[in-house]
Amino acid sequence: MKSHGGEATRRGAGLLFLFVTFPVASWMSLRGEIKMQRSAYLILIIASLIVSGACRRAPAVAPSAATPCEIALAAHPNNTEGDAKIDQEIARLQQEIRANARPFQTTAMIEKLGWNFVAKARASFDPGFYKLAEQCALCLESKQNEKQTDNASANGPLSKPESIRSAALLLRGHALHSLHRFGEAEKIARELVERRGLAYDYGLLGDVLIEQGKMDDAVMAYQKFMELRPGPQAYSRAAHVRWLKGDTEGARVLMRMSAQAAGQGDPESAAWAWSKLAIYELQAGELKRAHEICDAALRMQSDYAPGLLARGRVLLAENKIDEAVTTLERAAHLDPLPEYQWALADALRAANRGDDAAKVESQLAATGQANDPRTYSLFLATRGQQPETALRLAEEELKVRRDLYTLDALAWAQAAKGETTEAWKTMQSALAMGTVDARLYLHAAAIAAQAGEKRQSRFYAGKAAKTESSLLPGERIRLKQLKSV
């Protein structure tokens, strides 16, 4: 199992006391938002299992639903790019489990299959594989009361009901967190902490708490994680907390430590950390350094969507529009989420390719609500389109995800809808953590101006201007308009 990290190192132990001094702000999900358009194959898998089962029954007997084990062990299409090794490992594990050649290792292989589905989801940017990981967890849980038939079984890996239960919970909790089912994942994480209290149990608990705005409890969980397993995964979480609290320098140091500690042993996690650090450097206005860090990310994973997105945004900041378009086109192809499509559309408009931008925006409109409602709400409010939809999406998101970025989306949508008083109140809540973010400042400046708070508007417009290189071209135009007024 991994979660943006590799082997622990004692090097980070001295950072513990610095980490716990901060009140916590929201931890963004490891993956960002969920996209569902490529998950239809799951329905086909389930349907085929049900139909094949029905074919073996008399016509009068109603088909039964497929079990979690049947779903987890069904073959999946391996047509995504760059995942051949993962696909082969998944197929091998499925075949061995079905053959039952080593029954004393069945539970361990089911668990391993589940974490391979997690790896597949991360490599392919398809959350459908998180659903398959959840089915593996449910399958594993169903095995906990099976009797062991020999000494090898009784002493094998995951042979005891308690260990099977805990392994299943951690796998399922991780899948639910990645699918943004934070309330369900929190219950699982709390049970895990109560049962055994391992490092990854506390990591999961911190992740789901911080997404729900339960800040103090989240930082306590992360502190425990750091104590038990200092290393790249703990460093990246600490970096994010530092960033949200406005300690941009501390965040950059810790995220670099995370990337370096992951290293060649875990290239995907290292690529993620380098990509995140590139965005931090971009926000800090360090364009040359950000560009170099994007190169580091793409050396780890040559066709890595988050690394390409970061590079595209850096190129936009450098006003290298044509290069940015090429890079962002590839990024959006690999991971067609609203965040990627919005950046591409803005780049195309900056390149005077309005027709091409309109096509991307049409795709965004078709899938944005399902794929990433929060970013789509921000996009609509920024463009002054469908304010009712933007507000509805932000309000729905807030029910499950109460971090500062959701508060920002809600404030921005309220302002677009004309609910100025509520928008300014919500925006102040979003700013309370002290996060240094040009988009937050831009929104604050625009909402303050709309509310007649001219002094506040000038103040936040000035703060946005200091880091405006991280804004998209359309947002920079909006900031220029605000400053001129």
Side-chain angles (χ1 to χ4, degrees), residues 247-391:
D247 179 9
T248 57
E249 182 60 32
R252 288 146 68 193
V253 169
L254 282 162
M255 193 60 77
R256 181 179 290 272
M257 287 175 60
S258 177
Q260 290 173 337
Q264 295 291 342
D266 190 353
E268 194 278 336
S269 291
W272 180 89
W274 286 123
S275 300
K276 192 71 175 175
L277 178 58
I279 296 298
Y280 286 177
E281 297 291 356
L282 175 62
Q283 283 277 9
E286 298 287 349
L287 300 187
K288 181 179 179 181
R289 191 177 301 169
H291 206 124
E292 292 170 352
I293 291 168
C294 288
D295 292 342
L298 294 168
R299 280 195 297 271
M300 288 291 173
Q301 298 270 278
S302 61
D303 211 19
Y304 188 60
L308 291 168
L309 176 63
R311 175 180 276 178
R313 290 184 57 184
V314 172
L315 289 167
L316 285 175
E318 294 173 332
N319 205 34
K320 297 175 181 177
I321 305 300
D322 290 339
E323 290 181 57
V325 166
T326 301
T327 302
L328 291 169
E329 283 177 332
R330 182 58 184 165
H333 171 75
L334 291 168
D335 196 2
L337 284 173
E339 179 184 10
Y340 291 71
Q341 293 168 325
W342 184 2
L344 174 57
D346 256 37
L348 287 165
R349 290 198 177 279
N352 296 316
R353 293 171 55 183
D355 290 344
D356 291 331
K359 292 177 183 177
V360 174
E361 289 158 359
S362 178
Q363 296 169 1
L364 175 54
T367 60
Q369 289 193 48
N371 290 351
D372 178 353
R374 184 170 71 182
T375 300
Y376 186 54
S377 172
L378 283 168
F379 171 79
L380 290 175
T382 300
R383 294 296 183 88
Q385 300 170 358
Q386 303 177 46
E388 296 85 359
T389 300
L391 183 58

Side-chain angles (χ1 to χ4, degrees), residues 385-404:
Q385 300 170 358
Q386 303 177 46
E388 296 85 359
T389 300
L391 183 58
R392 174 178 57 81
L393 293 174
E395 288 174 339
E396 290 175 355
E397 185 78 0
L398 194 68
K399 293 175 183 177
V400 295
R401 198 178 195 191
R402 299 190 63 86
D403 66 349
L404 70 91

